[in-house]
């Protein structure tokens, strides 16, 4: 796993760049294309290890997925009843989305399957998705987690649904907002004999709902409740074409870099602007960050546009909690980094979910911010950061904790340090943003990749 050596920015970051396709949208598009009847074309979804895991899972289930040109995937849908038993365990790599959404599909199949993942994914909680799927008749078990009573982790063993049983209707209330669990239940609802009702405390990202609606699945949303009515469903999904919008979570790192390097002006092109994902933009507006949004259109129900940001020396501290935190969960680490360069205090709360990501992101950010000389206060459900807007940060030597978002956050902070910063084991960045280093270099940053230690 290579290290990154990030040098202090000596000139502004300038340019207009694309960002990787939104993983959340790409995962769902691939899975629905695999269940559709006919040939679907998905553009821009091939970057990153997580998407490769979903492609591999579909192939293991007998779905043909071709890549006729770079950035293009063609999926020959097997239909709702056309999946086949895998020859061995399905490897989900580092992708929790792949594992949890697949679980919702596999509980309705007449064959057993085992879902496995890497060391990081094998530590993530899975009872949250297994429990409601069991309640509707699915057979799914995992490994008991010695760290928490009643919790399970991967590998997940999904049992065959015996003839003549089918999944039942369900009305389920999520204890915390979770788009992956909600999506798993909705996907399982495509195979059920009655409606699927899901309620959340607040609305989590709704990519699955938008995509199903665009594919004419009878689905209704009212506030934080969604209902898929299987009794009105035709039983078939149409094939489709999709150019996947860019990932706002990836764009966030470029926006933050421009915000902390004096004189910078950066544009991230054709980014997904789903309202359930734009919590970060609202927080940034409250922090007086100079971000402008230029809408460009829609893609399978998803609004898209360009994001323009310019350096603003008057950045002030902000707050993210409640629904805002839920709509900015993936972006909270880089928001905390921005807080390190803002005037005053930046606070993140109601974000306990950060502790159940690829790593404990709250604890990881305490370590990273401390290495840069930034004072912060760790809390059970978040973090409080005291900004250091004047003068450079301390040069740091930090670990990625095997988490792509922590690694990229540390790299961005390195641009504001007084000397070179080393981000160790940064290969995990390829999970979501394989061209991260090249993109920052194109904007004017000086970053080196050091593979010597790994060798």
């Amino acid at each position: 796993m290579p290290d990154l050596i990030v040098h202090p920015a000596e000139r502004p970051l300038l340019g207009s760049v694309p960002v990787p396709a939104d993983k959340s949208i790409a995962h769902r598009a691939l899975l629905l294309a695999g269940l559709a009847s006919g040939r679907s074309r998905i553009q821009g979804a091939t970057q990153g290890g997580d998407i490769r895991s979903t492609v591999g899972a579909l192939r293991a289930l007998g779905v043909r997925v071709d890549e006729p040109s770079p950035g293009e995937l063609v999926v020959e849908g097997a239909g709702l009843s056309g999946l086949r038993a895998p020859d061995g365990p399905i490897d989900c790599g580092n992708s929790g989305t792949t594992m949890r959404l697949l679980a919702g599909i596999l509980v309705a199949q007449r064959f057993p399957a085992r879902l496995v993942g890497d060391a990081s994914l094998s530590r993530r909680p899975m009872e949250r998705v297994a429990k409601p799927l069991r309640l509707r008749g699915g057979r799914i078990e995992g490994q008991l987690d010695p760290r928490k009573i009643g919790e399970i982790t991967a590998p997940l063993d999904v049992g065959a649904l015996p003839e003549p049983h089918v999944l039942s209707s369900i009305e389920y209330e999520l204890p915390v907002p979770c788009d992956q669990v909600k999506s798993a239940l909705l996907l399982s609802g495509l195979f059920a004999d009655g409606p699927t009702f899901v309620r959340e405390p607040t609305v989590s990202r709704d990519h699955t709902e938008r995509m199903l609606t665009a594919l004419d699945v009878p689905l209704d949303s009212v506030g934080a409740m969604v209902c898929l009515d299987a009794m009105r469903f035709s039983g078939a999904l149409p094939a489709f074409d999709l150019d996947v919008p860019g990932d706002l979570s990836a764009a966030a790192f470029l926006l933050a870099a421009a915000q902390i390097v004096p004189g910078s002006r950066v544009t991230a092109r054709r980014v997904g602007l789903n309202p359930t994902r734009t919590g970060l933009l609202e927080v940034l507006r409250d922090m007086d960050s100079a971000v402008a949004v230029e809408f460009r259109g829609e893609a399978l129900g998803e609004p898209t546009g360009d994001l323009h940001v310019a350096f603003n020396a008057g950045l002030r501290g902000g707050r993210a909690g409640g629904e805002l935190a839920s709509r900015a969960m993936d972006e909270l680490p880089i928001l905390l980094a921005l807080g390190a360069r803002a005037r005053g205090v930046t606070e993140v709360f109601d974000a306990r979910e950060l502790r159940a990501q690829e790593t404990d992101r709250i604890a990881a950010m305490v370590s990273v911010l401390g290495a840069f000389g930034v004072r912060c206060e760790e809390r059970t459900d978040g973090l409080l950061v005291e900004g250091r807007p004047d003068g450079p940060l301390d040069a740091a030597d930090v670990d990625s904790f095997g988490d792509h978002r922590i690694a990229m956050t540390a790299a961005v902070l390195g641009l504001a340090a007084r000397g070179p910063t080393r981000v160790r084991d940064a290969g995990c960045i390829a999970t979501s943003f394989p061209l991260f280093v090249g993109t920052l270099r194109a904007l004017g940053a000086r970053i080196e990749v050091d593979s010597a230690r790994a060798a």
Side-chain angles (χ1 to χ4, degrees), residues 21-22 25-34 39-46 51 54-55 58 65-76 211 240-245 300:
D22 190 304
I25 297 173
H27 282 301
R28 289 157 173 81
L30 284 165
L31 292 174
L32 289 174
R39 177 179 297 176
S40 298
R41 294 183 181 274
I42 302 172
Q43 296 278 357
T46 57
I51 297 305
T54 294
V55 169
L58 286 173
V65 184
D66 296 323
E67 189 173 347
S69 62
E72 180 184 16
L73 293 172
V74 176
V75 182
E76 299 286 351
M211 203 169 292
F240 57 90
D241 292 346
L242 174 65
D243 190 354
V244 182
L300 211 62

Side-chain angles (χ1 to χ4, degrees), residues 17 103 139 165 228 242 389 396 408:
V17 292
R139 299 182 174 191
H165 300 290
L228 189 158
L242 174 65
M408 289 186 282

Side-chain angles (χ1 to χ4, degrees), residues 320 325 332 347-355 362 378-383:
L332 292 179
E347 184 179 9
V348 167
F349 55 98
D350 294 334
R352 188 187 297 268
E353 182 67 17
L354 284 175
R355 294 196 181 275
I362 294 175
E378 180 176 356
R379 296 177 176 174
T380 302
D381 65 345
L383 203 62

Side-chain angles (χ1 to χ4, degrees), residues 400-419:
S400 70
F401 298 91
D403 188 314
H404 53 122
R405 302 198 194 281
I406 298 299
M408 289 186 282
T409 297
V412 169
L413 282 170
L415 298 172
R418 68 177 75 253

